Amino acid sequence: MNYIDLHAHMISRSTDDYHRMALTGCLAVTEPAFWSGRDRLGALAFADYFDHLTTFEPARAQQYGIQHYAWLCLNPKEGEDRELAREVLALIPDFLDRPTVLGIGEIGLNRVTRNELATFVDHVELALEHHQLIHVHTPHLEDKYKGTRVIVETLAKDGRIDPARVMIDHAEEHTAPLILEHGFWTGFTLYPKTKASPARALDMIEMYGHERICVASACDWGPSDPVAIPEFVLEARRRGHDEAGIQRIVLHNPQAFLSQSPKFRLKLPEGTAPRALAAD
């Protein structure tokens, strides 16, 4: 089944992974900016990173027939450094006109501090100023609900923000309802050890339906699987989910969200048009 992986850190993956993704039906990936595993030494390191995401990765993906798009930001883990944040945010507008940049992300919170929140709000202002889509990271483990609540409340009280243009990612059982009831898109990231397994993601879809929900591999340099979405498809079929519903989650929903950017120009193969669901 064809799919879109809207959260994949391909800079940390091998070319063999693009090969595997292509063989399993991947049509496009979108790559949010993220923490490299160590704090970067300065703003110029981010300029180099953004250039890599918007030149080298699209070319590498294209060798396997996969479209590659990017999101730009200072990641939440380094958002505590306000001076660095100001310097990096000043760089980003120079990259926003590049043809594969879809928006600002993955912004968000890590330890839910005042400085992180200020950096998050600065990114939101930048997105609004340049009419960009927004992709949001939610915190890990013990800070998950607290951080998600702060993010949702911050965005919801700003009347300039259209929730349909915001993806709040890394949702879990206790945060998905909060995100969805405020009209945002949400994502379940499929990890082998943390976040949501394919089985847990399907549990949540069975509870909350198919509306404004996507899944992604979020593959990076840690334990992760670049073909986690095909594993999700296999698990869904085992459970008896109908093909139209599966395809909506892995293909049509991400396409609908991403197509709000005029730069996202994926043409779906014949025979993959949306079909009515048996139930939702």
Side-chain angles (χ1 to χ4, degrees):
M1 179 177 288
N2 289 126
Y3 64 93
I4 297 168
D5 193 338
L6 62 71
H7 189 158
H9 300 292
M10 299 308 295
I11 191 172
S12 60
R13 308 299 306 196
S14 73
T15 300
D16 288 343
D17 290 330
Y18 278 119
H19 189 187
R20 294 170 62 204
M21 295 170 83
L23 288 176
T24 54
C26 184
L27 300 175
V29 299
T30 83
E31 178 160 3
F34 83 138
W35 189 58
S36 69
R38 60 191 288 269
D39 290 350
R40 293 176 176 86
L41 299 178
L44 286 180
F46 282 87
D48 183 66
Y49 176 42
F50 297 156
D51 187 63
H52 181 112
L53 292 182
T54 54
T55 57
F56 181 78
E57 289 304 331
R60 194 161 68 119
Q62 188 57 45
Q63 296 178 48
Y64 297 90
I66 296 173
Q67 294 186 10
H68 180 283
Y69 299 89
W71 307 78
L72 305 180
C73 74
L74 173 77
N75 65 86
K77 201 172 179 64
E78 291 170 283
E80 181 69 18
D81 187 336
R82 293 289 292 145
E83 181 58 30
L84 178 64
R86 280 187 280 271
E87 293 175 2
V88 173
L89 264 75
L91 292 172
I92 291 174
D94 288 342
F95 292 89
L96 292 179
D97 288 337
R98 295 200 175 186
T100 57
V101 175
L102 298 181
I104 302 298
E106 57 181 306
I107 59 175
L109 301 172
N110 184 44
R111 289 299 179 186
V112 201
T113 66
R114 289 184 179 180
N115 280 348
E116 288 177 8
L117 182 58
T119 298
F120 172 72
V121 170
D122 285 347
H123 278 100
V124 171
E125 289 291 338
L126 183 66
L128 291 172
E129 180 182 348
H130 294 273
H131 195 57
Q132 299 291 308
L133 296 176
I134 298 174
H135 184 227
V136 181
H137 164 98
T138 52
H140 301 276
L141 302 176
E142 71 271 17
D143 295 315
K144 173 68 75 177
Y145 183 80
K146 175 184 176 184
T148 302
R149 180 173 53 79
V150 171
I151 288 167
V152 168
E153 290 177 351
T154 300
L155 295 172
K157 71 181 181 183
D158 190 330
R160 300 170 299 167
I161 296 173
D162 178 358
R165 292 177 57 83
V166 180
M167 164 66 69
I168 301 181
D169 217 342
H170 301 306
E172 296 184 21
E173 291 85 346
H174 59 312
T175 59
L178 175 66
I179 298 167
L180 291 169
E181 71 187 21
H182 283 83
F184 300 105
W185 285 82
T186 197
F188 302 143
T189 43
L190 309 169
Y191 280 84
K193 294 182 179 178
T194 61
K195 308 282 184 358
S197 65
R200 281 179 58 196
L202 283 160
D203 288 344
M204 289 186 274
I205 289 165
E206 289 168 1
M207 292 173 63
Y208 306 123
H210 297 77
E211 191 74 23
R212 288 180 283 111
I213 290 176
C214 302
V215 296
S217 74
C219 57
D220 55 21
W221 44 261
S224 53
D225 183 2
V227 291
I229 293 179
E231 293 287 351
F232 168 87
V233 172
L234 181 60
E235 179 65 19
R237 286 172 173 161
R238 283 181 180 145
R239 290 196 185 194
H241 284 239
D242 66 85
E243 293 293 299
I246 301 170
Q247 195 171 54
R248 180 168 176 181
I249 294 294
V250 304
L251 183 64
H252 298 134
N253 277 359
Q255 187 202 27
F257 173 69
L258 297 168
S259 294
Q260 295 179 90
S261 169
K263 296 180 186 174
F264 188 76
R265 296 175 178 174
L266 180 68
K267 184 178 180 181
L268 297 184
E270 291 186 9
T272 57
R275 290 174 288 165
L277 304 187
D280 206 348

